[in-house]
Amino acid sequence: SALKKEGTDQISKFSIRNILVTFQFLISSVLIAGTIVILTQINFMTKQDIGINVTNKIAIDIPNYIGDNDKYWQLLKHYKQDLLKLNGVESVAISSEVPGDEVRWTGGCRPVPTKEGSNNSVTISKLSLDKDYLTMYENKFLIGRNFEKLSDTIYTIINKTAMLSMGFKSPQEAINKNIR
């Protein structure tokens, strides 16, 4: 009866009924606006170019190995050759992380030699991968090339964010530089 104003002749501007209706309207408006914002964000994320082609790809997360690193990579190469023998498998690549997962391997990185008086060391996320990874996922390079087996030297490919963080002004400046 209080909500229906039964038993009272006075009509108050701030009745409980008006307050509750207004509150309900505000909550509904906030929920609708929140839903629109979330849908916009999801559409933005799903339409973004992630820099790799994941269409028709299957990622297999294999157990990590603690021990002889060379032996582990030899086992992975044999596993890769076995997978390539399967019908319908066109390419296989090996990496330390599955694309889209959090990269848990981080470390300091800096150009060598560093400019006098500067410390360009930055913490970056690192992936260990074979030469087929970037080709299979159709990665785009600003400059440079994919990995080649030229010697026992460890080669590094950096992204634009790492390049800028280490103080390089352009991809041309970063190419063929030693990074520690």
Side-chain angles (χ1 to χ4, degrees), residues 6 31 81 99 106:
E6 290 178 6
L31 289 174
Q81 294 306 316
T106 62

Side-chain angles (χ1 to χ4, degrees), residues 38-92:
I38 290 170
L39 285 174
T40 304
Q41 289 296 312
I42 290 173
N43 286 334
F44 175 77
M45 290 186 306
T46 57
K47 290 181 177 31
Q48 274 300 98
D49 179 18
I50 58 173
I52 62 174
N53 181 2
V54 292
T55 306
N56 297 325
K57 309 284 190 296
I58 297 174
I60 302 171
D61 194 5
I62 58 175
N64 288 332
Y65 179 79
I66 298 174
D68 185 359
N69 199 29
D70 291 331
K71 182 178 178 182
Y72 182 59
W73 278 97
Q74 287 303 318
L75 289 171
L76 288 176
K77 287 178 186 176
H78 289 298
Y79 183 57
K80 180 178 177 173
Q81 294 306 316
D82 290 343
L83 288 173
L84 285 168
K85 293 175 186 173
L86 298 174
N87 287 335
V89 175
E90 295 177 10
S91 64
V92 176

Side-chain angles (χ1 to χ4, degrees), residues 72-130:
Y72 182 59
W73 278 97
Q74 287 303 318
L75 289 171
L76 288 176
K77 287 178 186 176
H78 289 298
Y79 183 57
K80 180 178 177 173
Q81 294 306 316
D82 290 343
L83 288 173
L84 285 168
K85 293 175 186 173
L86 298 174
N87 287 335
V89 175
E90 295 177 10
S91 64
V92 176
I94 300 170
S95 71
S96 57
E97 301 292 342
V98 174
D101 277 359
E102 176 186 2
V103 178
R104 296 178 296 263
W105 183 20
T106 62
C109 188
R110 63 180 171 84
V112 178
T114 56
K115 297 171 186 162
E116 196 170 316
S118 69
N119 182 6
N120 291 346
S121 183
V122 294
T123 301
I124 62 169
S125 298
K126 302 176 185 181
L127 287 174
S128 180
L129 43 95
D130 71 353

